Amino acid sequence: MDLLLVASQVLLGTVFAVAAFTKLRSRADLRAFASSLVMVPERLRLPAAAGVAAGEAATAALMVVPRIGLVLGGITLGAFSLVIAVAVRKGVRVSCRCFGPSAAPLGGVHLVRNALLLLVVALGGTALAFPGDPPGAGALAVAIPAGLAGAVVLIAFDDIAGLFLDRTGRV
C-alpha cells in the first residue's frame, strides 16, 4: 500500500505544481488565467486567479504530508469540478487554462480528468488507512516514475482526448 501512497503523492504533487507554475511563471500568464475566470466579477478575477494558483502550489507542497495534502487536493479538485460543471451547464465557453494556454474549452473531458484525479486522491487515502513499512528503494524506484508518468498523462489529458473526439466533444 505504501507504493500506492507514494505514487499518489508524486502524481498529485506534480499535477498541482505544474498547474500552479503555468499560472505563476509570469504576470502575463496570471492575467491570462484571470481573464478566463468569466464567472467571477471582473474586479475580483486577478485576486481569485492568484488564490487558485497559491492553493495549487500549497496543495503540491503539502503532498509531503499526505494526510493534509490528500484532503486539500480532494477539496480543491471537488471545487474545480463544481465550477466546471456549472460553467458547462450555463453554456459558458471559456478555454481551459488549467495547465497554461489551451484552445480546448472547459467541458466533460475536464470533468473526467478531475474524476480520475479524485480517484487518485481516494487511492492515496486508502493506502493511508493501511500503513505498512516505509517503502524501500525498489518500491520508490517504481512508485516515483509511475506517479510522474500518470501526471504527464493527466496534464495532457484534454490533448489526448482531443485525438479521439470531434470538435463537439463526441467520439
Side-chain angles (χ1 to χ4, degrees):
M1 279 298 192
D2 290 322
L3 182 86
L4 183 59
L5 177 59
V6 171
S8 298
Q9 288 173 275
V10 170
L11 187 151
L12 293 164
T14 301
V15 165
F16 280 107
V18 170
F21 174 76
T22 61
K23 294 170 184 73
L24 296 173
R25 66 183 157 201
S26 72
R27 287 180 187 224
D29 287 323
L30 185 61
R31 283 192 197 104
F33 173 63
S35 70
S36 74
L37 302 177
V38 297
M39 293 176 36
V40 175
E42 192 168 345
R43 64 179 167 57
L44 299 176
R45 287 182 189 164
L46 191 57
V52 167
E56 290 171 336
T59 301
L62 287 169
M63 281 301 154
V64 298
V65 183
R67 291 190 193 287
I68 297 170
L70 290 170
V71 169
L72 185 56
I75 291 168
T76 303
L77 288 164
F80 289 169
S81 297
L82 179 63
V83 169
I84 293 168
V86 169
V88 169
R89 178 133 172 94
K90 288 185 172 187
V92 174
R93 299 279 300 167
V94 63
S95 70
C96 170
R97 297 198 56 91
C98 304
F99 300 105
S102 173
L106 286 177
V109 167
H110 302 97
L111 291 171
V112 170
R113 180 190 57 218
N114 284 2
L116 292 171
L117 287 166
L118 283 165
L119 177 63
V120 173
V121 168
L123 291 171
T126 301
L128 276 175
F130 300 98
D133 294 330
L140 292 176
V142 171
I144 292 171
L148 289 171
V152 168
V153 169
L154 290 169
I155 289 167
F157 191 77
D158 58 337
D159 294 327
I160 294 168
L163 297 173
F164 301 98
L165 303 174
D166 66 14
R167 292 181 185 217
T168 65
R170 295 188 182 114
V171 177

